[in-house]
Amino acid sequence: MPARFLPLADVAETLAISSAQAYALVRTGELRAIKVGGRGQWRVEESELEDYIQRMYAQTRESVLAEHTQLTD
């Protein structure tokens, strides 16, 4: 059974970003996560990571369309 929750290191690897950038996404609320354990380790549910990725695709698409519209106006 695959892991339901991912540590930030795995999130960073999946997104090809640094651990610090992954931590910043969580701290700002852009990427929903929970703290678990006595040391408060951050974990991101796999479905939340997929939702984040889909939101970023949508934002990118909107940005590209807006930029294209500005260029053609």
Side-chain angles (χ1 to χ4, degrees):
M1 171 184 251
R4 177 177 174 182
F5 291 94
L6 305 169
L8 288 186
D10 290 356
V11 170
E13 183 177 332
T14 299
L15 297 175
I17 60 176
S18 71
S19 293
Q21 289 170 309
Y23 180 70
L25 289 174
V26 167
R27 294 293 296 180
T28 62
E30 270 190 84
L31 178 59
R32 289 179 35 163
I34 59 172
K35 274 189 165 184
V36 296
R39 294 175 48 196
Q41 298 292 309
W42 287 104
R43 294 292 182 265
V44 176
E45 194 166 8
E46 196 168 331
S47 63
E48 290 293 337
L49 180 56
E50 288 304 317
D51 288 348
Y52 171 78
I53 292 168
Q54 292 307 313
R55 285 194 314 272
M56 293 303 100
Y57 274 125
Q59 282 183 11
T60 301
R61 184 172 43 251
E62 290 170 12
S63 174
V64 168
L65 288 174
E67 187 176 307
H68 178 68
T69 301
Q70 288 177 353
L71 293 175
T72 60
D73 284 347

